[in-house]
């Protein structure tokens, strides 16, 4: 999902706008395509995080409860229903997060609309127009107004009343920049300030993400400790069996360490920068693209290799199958090295 989002952004940048992006930036940010890309990216990242959280919790619960395996390989209807329930819950939770900023309700508009973009023929507005700019124009046009933050619905009505029918249908000349239009790459607005009306929603989502990371880390630490404790008595006497068990435990420990570290270096710095930006300790806006386009997608790419035994087995088979090729390349490199050394010896002898 995240990979498809990156490909779509790259395609739009290279084939549609390219070098003329600055001229059409506001129209792109206000377009339905930008909103769809942002929702798609958010859905993919949240589904990935929630899936990993559910998977780690289920694994931990299974080990702690020591669930016995059945004598047959059949799957009961209750198991299917449980899996479907977990999958449906993950999808609904991710959909709620990614779609909520796009719901066309008045109260949501006041939270998630960043500004309006007007047709270039409407000369009194240029670029992305905020509520503050609208209020200044409304105050000049209608006379003395009480200083306050107006709702977008009121602004819309007052602005439309300023224009005659000669301007035609204003619905086609006014576009709104929503939650995902905060940046050219159309991603979730993680970096908010204290004055931003979207800060409660963003901070809640960041809190959910960091809680998911803590659950994943704690679950796999418990899994690792429980596995080592349960096999400790088998390794006391030594021997081939003990060596196999120790090897398996080391493999599990390495896998758990990589899982925790990759999630840590992905989410913790991201949340930390978001909080520092929120408390105005630093301006993290220049790092937005780095985290959103590089750090989060890389983590999403790594996760399937860490969690899926199918991918791991496929990689191992490819590694084994390529043994002959690797051996050939090694011998080829050695032969080239020997030829180069012999040529150097001949040159040194002639020079002498």
């Amino acid at each position: 999902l995240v990979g498809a989002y990156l490909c779509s952004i790259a395609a739009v940048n290279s084939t549609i706008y390219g070098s003329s992006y600055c001229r059409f930036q506001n129209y792109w940010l206000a377009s339905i395509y930008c909103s769809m890309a942002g929702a798609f990216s958010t859905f993919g990242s949240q589904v990935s995080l929630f899936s990993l959280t559910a998977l780690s919790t289920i694994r931990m619960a299974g080990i702690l409860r020591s669930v016995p395996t059945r004598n047959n390989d059949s799957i009961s209807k209750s198991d299917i229903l449980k899996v479907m329930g977990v999958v449906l819950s993950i999808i609904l939770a991710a959909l709620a997060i990614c779609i909520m900023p796009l719901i066309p309700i008045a109260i949501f508009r006041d939270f998630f609309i960043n500004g309006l973009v007007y047709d270039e023929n409407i000369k009194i507005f240029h670029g992305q127009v905020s509520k503050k700019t609208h209020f200044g124009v409304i105050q000049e046009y209608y006379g003395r107004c009480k200083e306050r933050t107006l709702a977008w619905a009121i602004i819309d009505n007052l602005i439309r009343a300023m224009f005659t029918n000669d301007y035609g249908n204003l619905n086609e000349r006014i576009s709104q920049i929503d939650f995902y239009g905060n940046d050219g790459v159309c991603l979730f607005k993680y970096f908010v300030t204290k004055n931003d009306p979207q800060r409660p929603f963003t901070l809640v989502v960041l809190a959910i993400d960091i809680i998911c990371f803590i659950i994943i880390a704690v679950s796999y630490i418990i899994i690792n400790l429980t596995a080592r404790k349960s096999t400790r008595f088998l390794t006391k006497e030594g021997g081939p069996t003990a060596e196999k068990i120790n090897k398996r435990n080391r493999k599990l420990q390495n896998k758990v360490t990589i899982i925790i570290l990759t999630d840590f270096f992905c989410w913790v710095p991201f949340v930390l920068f978001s909080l520092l930006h929120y408390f105005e300790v630093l301006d993290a806006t220049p790092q937005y693209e780095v985290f959103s386009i590089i750090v989060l997608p890389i983590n999403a790419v790594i996760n399937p290799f860490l969690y899926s035994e199918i991918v791991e087995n496929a990689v191992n088979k490819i590694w084994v199958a390529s043994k002959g090729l690797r051996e050939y390349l090694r011998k080829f490199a050695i032969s080239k090295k020997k030829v180069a050394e012999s040529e150097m010896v001949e040159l040194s002898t002639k020079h002498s």
Side-chain angles (χ1 to χ4, degrees):
L1 291 175
V2 178
Y5 155 78
L6 293 175
C7 291
S8 64
I9 291 294
V12 169
N13 181 60
S14 60
T15 60
I16 299 179
Y17 294 109
S19 59
S20 60
Y21 170 76
C22 292
R23 180 183 174 186
F24 300 100
Q25 178 184 17
N26 290 316
Y27 296 104
W28 160 247
L29 296 178
S31 68
I32 185 63
Y33 305 108
C34 180
S35 301
M36 290 174 60
F40 195 67
S41 171
T42 302
F43 178 75
S45 61
Q46 294 302 319
V47 164
S48 175
L49 185 61
F50 292 159
S51 299
L52 300 183
T53 305
L55 181 61
S56 60
T57 305
I58 292 171
R59 285 181 173 179
M60 180 188 67
I63 288 180
L64 292 178
R65 292 169 57 188
S66 299
V67 179
T69 57
R70 296 188 181 91
N71 293 329
N72 53 35
D73 295 330
S74 62
I75 300 176
S76 65
K77 292 183 178 179
S78 62
D79 293 335
I80 296 175
L81 291 176
K82 289 177 183 178
V83 172
M84 291 177 62
V86 172
V87 172
L88 183 61
S89 300
I90 290 172
I91 293 175
L92 291 177
L95 281 175
I97 291 175
C98 73
I99 292 179
M100 186 176 294
L102 303 178
I103 298 177
I105 301 178
I107 188 172
F108 282 179
R109 286 189 66 196
D110 288 325
F111 273 109
F112 296 116
I113 300 301
N114 291 314
L116 300 181
V117 176
Y118 291 82
D119 187 271
E120 58 185 10
N121 294 323
I122 300 178
K123 304 298 183 181
I124 62 173
F125 295 114
H126 298 279
Q128 181 176 337
V129 188
S130 64
K131 282 187 174 183
K132 185 177 180 180
T133 304
H134 277 105
F135 182 82
V137 174
I138 290 170
Q139 192 175 38
E140 290 293 328
Y141 183 83
Y142 289 99
R144 186 175 179 181
C145 297
K146 185 178 180 180
E147 184 72 28
R148 64 190 182 96
T149 302
L150 299 177
W152 281 115
I154 297 175
I155 292 174
D156 188 61
N157 291 331
L158 292 175
I159 292 297
R160 288 174 184 273
M162 293 168 53
F163 295 93
T164 64
N165 293 331
D166 295 335
Y167 283 87
N169 186 8
L170 290 180
N171 291 330
E172 299 177 356
R173 298 193 170 198
I174 303 176
S175 304
Q176 62 185 27
I177 298 179
D178 57 35
F179 181 74
Y180 296 110
N182 68 96
D183 194 89
V185 290
C186 304
L187 282 172
F188 191 95
K189 191 176 181 180
Y190 287 104
F191 295 159
V192 293
T193 60
K194 293 181 180 179
N195 299 324
D196 198 321
Q198 299 152 2
R199 67 187 184 279
F201 178 72
T202 297
L203 294 177
V204 167
V205 173
L206 286 174
I208 292 173
D209 292 344
I210 199 67
I211 289 172
C212 289
F213 162 72
I214 293 173
I215 292 173
I216 293 172
V218 172
S219 297
Y220 276 100
I221 289 173
I222 292 175
I223 290 172
N224 185 39
L225 294 177
T226 304
R228 295 178 69 86
K229 183 179 179 181
S230 63
T231 58
R232 187 175 301 166
F233 72 97
L234 297 174
T235 60
K236 288 182 178 179
E237 298 181 358
T241 304
E243 181 61 28
K244 289 182 180 179
I245 293 174
N246 288 329
K247 184 178 180 180
R248 186 183 64 183
N249 288 339
R250 286 194 298 269
K251 183 179 179 181
L252 175 62
Q253 185 176 3
N254 293 335
K255 188 173 183 178
V256 169
T257 302
I258 294 173
I259 289 173
I260 294 174
L261 288 178
T262 53
D263 286 338
F264 177 86
F265 287 115
C266 168
W267 288 104
V268 173
F270 196 72
V271 173
L272 180 62
F273 270 81
S274 299
L275 293 177
L276 292 175
H277 182 85
Y278 175 75
F279 290 108
E280 299 179 355
V281 177
L282 56 81
D283 182 11
T285 306
Q287 285 77 38
Y288 186 80
E289 285 81 5
V290 175
F291 280 104
S292 301
I293 299 297
I294 299 177
V295 177
L296 293 181
I298 286 179
N299 185 68
V301 170
I302 292 175
N303 282 330
F305 291 93
L306 297 177
Y307 286 86
S308 176
E309 293 182 0
I310 297 175
V311 176
E312 183 179 354
N313 293 335
V315 172
N316 291 334
K317 288 181 179 179
I318 293 173
W319 179 258
V320 173
S322 64
K323 182 179 179 181
L325 177 62
R326 288 184 282 111
E327 185 67 20
Y328 170 78
L329 293 175
R330 186 182 68 83
K331 292 180 178 179
F332 180 77
I334 292 174
S335 64
K336 283 290 184 181
K337 184 178 179 182
K338 290 181 178 179
V339 170
E341 290 176 350
S342 63
E343 290 178 352
M344 289 295 293
V345 171
E346 291 179 0
L347 289 174
S348 60
T349 302
K350 292 180 180 178
H351 182 71
S352 301

